[in-house]
Amino acid sequence: MKATNYPWESALRAKFPTPATEGIHEFYFSLDGGGRELIIDAIRSHDVRLMIEVGSFLCGSTLQWFEASSTLAIIGIDPWSANFASILDRYRDNPVFDPCFAKIEHRGEFIDSVRQHGPFLSAMANVRKHADRFIPVRASSPEVLEELAALSVMPDMIYFDSNKLLDDLSVARRLFPDATLCGDDWTWGAEQGFPVQVAVKDFCSRFGLNYRAHRATWIIDNPKTS
Ligand SMILES: C[S@@+](CC[C@H](N)C(=O)[O-])C[C@H]1O[C@@H](n2cnc3c(N)ncnc32)[C@H](O)[C@@H]1O
């Protein structure tokens, strides 16, 4: 399974093993709100080799990053503990989510499979063919970021797509000062005053950084790589 040759990889995989997923059907379901070409362009132009993704869900976004680069390895952080099947049940007949279901032939079969196997095994089956370059860290951010830093993990990029609080942005900068920070949910939460926009703009003004946003995606320019 080990293929990336990072010195910390064996220890991390021992603590967070990849489960066997034989017999579980794989699906491509990405909660893609648009603009991810910003991330794909940055992965390619900055030759990103190691990415931390906070909030992997069913690893649809993870597959998008893997398809962008054959030399990319990803540490996916997610507790994989929520009831994903009931979340998908809510999305199933909402036309807003039709693009996310575009590659799913039978929505009912897909959701039944997620219900039967649960969030973690379902997600792992979806990235099975990239298991040598995907490490599932079944835990919560920001707490587990400290653990990764203690192992001397040094990501080139961190993609945030979890709880909309972005309480991990400052922690990430402190622990991984060279990483490019980016994420999702730019357009989420009109009634709550677009909390991700507020957090990113505040963070950038505190540290004198520039950001770019397109549709749901945002990326903070990294002075070390741009
Ligand atoms: C919007 S979904 C991610 C969608 C996925 N990136 C995609 O594009 O298909 C949010 C995910 O964040 C996870 N999550 C929630 N709180 C988290 C936390 N504190 N740390 C890591 N993941 C978290 C949830 O379990 C859920 O799978």
Side-chain angles (χ1 to χ4, degrees):
M1 194 75 81
K2 186 173 182 296
T4 64
N5 284 325
Y6 289 109
W8 41 261
E9 185 179 350
S10 299
L12 193 60
R13 285 197 186 276
K15 173 136 194 216
F16 298 104
T18 299
T21 57
E22 283 80 24
I24 303 178
H25 197 78
E26 65 196 77
F27 296 92
Y28 176 81
F29 180 87
S30 185
L31 280 167
D32 183 351
R36 288 187 173 171
E37 57 274 20
L38 283 182
I39 311 302
I40 288 167
D41 288 350
I43 288 172
R44 291 179 176 156
S45 62
H46 301 154
D47 191 22
V48 170
R49 296 297 176 105
L50 180 64
M51 177 185 204
I52 292 178
E53 178 174 65
V54 180
S56 301
F57 196 58
L58 289 167
C59 289
S61 46
T62 320
L63 287 170
Q64 290 174 283
W65 318 139
F66 279 139
E67 279 155 21
S69 165
S70 60
T71 51
L72 176 69
I74 301 179
I75 295 172
I77 301 174
D78 200 304
W80 283 293
S81 58
N83 187 339
F84 285 9
S86 76
I87 294 170
L88 293 169
D89 273 332
R90 288 203 302 275
Y91 297 163
R92 181 180 174 149
D93 297 316
N94 182 340
V96 168
F97 293 96
D98 281 348
C100 305
F101 284 103
K103 298 247 169 75
I104 305 285
E105 210 174 330
H106 301 292
R107 294 185 190 189
E109 278 176 25
F110 162 53
I111 298 171
D112 284 347
S113 174
V114 173
R115 187 173 288 110
Q116 181 187 348
H117 300 292
F120 187 46
L121 291 179
S122 301
M124 292 308 101
N126 297 342
V127 282
R128 183 166 44 213
K129 63 174 174 290
H130 301 291
D132 57 341
R133 51 192 185 120
F134 183 73
I135 305 178
V137 169
R138 197 173 187 185
S140 291
S141 175
E143 299 80 359
V144 79
L145 296 179
E146 304 275 356
E147 205 174 318
L148 296 178
L151 283 172
S152 301
V153 171
M154 278 188 283
D156 303 304
M157 175 178 270
I158 308 179
Y159 179 80
F160 296 93
D161 189 6
S162 63
N163 57 14
K164 280 89 173 159
L165 298 175
L166 278 186
D167 49 350
D168 25 23
L169 209 48
S170 301
V171 177
R173 182 180 163 90
R174 172 172 57 80
L175 297 173
F176 310 110
D178 293 337
T180 296
L181 306 177
C182 55
D184 196 61
D185 295 316
W186 189 255
T187 48
W188 185 88
E191 290 94 50
Q192 294 92 323
F194 299 109
V196 167
Q197 294 189 27
V198 171
V200 171
K201 287 174 186 173
D202 174 63
F203 178 84
C204 287
S205 74
R206 266 196 295 143
F207 295 105
L209 298 165
N210 297 317
Y211 65 85
R212 287 168 291 138
H214 180 48
R215 300 186 59 197
T217 305
W218 55 271
I219 184 164
I220 297 174
D221 290 333
N222 185 339
K224 300 201 170 71
T225 53
S226 44

